[in-house]
Amino acid sequence: MTKETVVLVVDHDESLLTDSCRLLEEAGYQTIQATNGADALRLARAYSPDLALLDVALPDINGGDVCRK
């Protein structure tokens, strides 16, 4: 049995978030979604995703700062 790759997708634009997750899921990835930096950090700590796709312009925290944390 192989582990499914988990991707944390973070975007404040909900239509882009939905489309990105749909494409990733169609390709066989499991996705976790957040629309702001605080939720992204909480989900990253809770789920330890294999990869994160971050919007740079989040409403509360810069995407680069989320990545560094």
Side-chain angles (χ1 to χ4, degrees):
M1 178 188 274
T2 60
K3 177 183 174 255
E4 189 171 27
T5 301
V6 178
V7 181
L8 172 60
V9 183
V10 186
D11 199 315
H12 71 284
D13 183 322
E14 291 196 31
S15 65
L16 290 174
L17 179 66
T18 300
D19 290 346
S20 297
C21 289
R22 181 182 48 80
L23 290 170
L24 287 164
E25 290 166 3
E26 287 175 359
Y29 297 96
Q30 178 183 347
T31 63
I32 304 167
Q33 305 175 25
T35 57
N36 61 60
D39 286 344
L41 290 171
R42 181 182 54 78
L43 291 169
R45 289 180 184 116
Y47 293 96
S48 298
D50 300 296
L51 176 70
L53 298 177
L54 293 161
D55 182 359
V56 176
L58 296 172
D60 58 346
I61 305 171
N62 178 287
D65 291 337
V66 171
C67 189
R68 281 186 282 283
K69 291 180 181 191

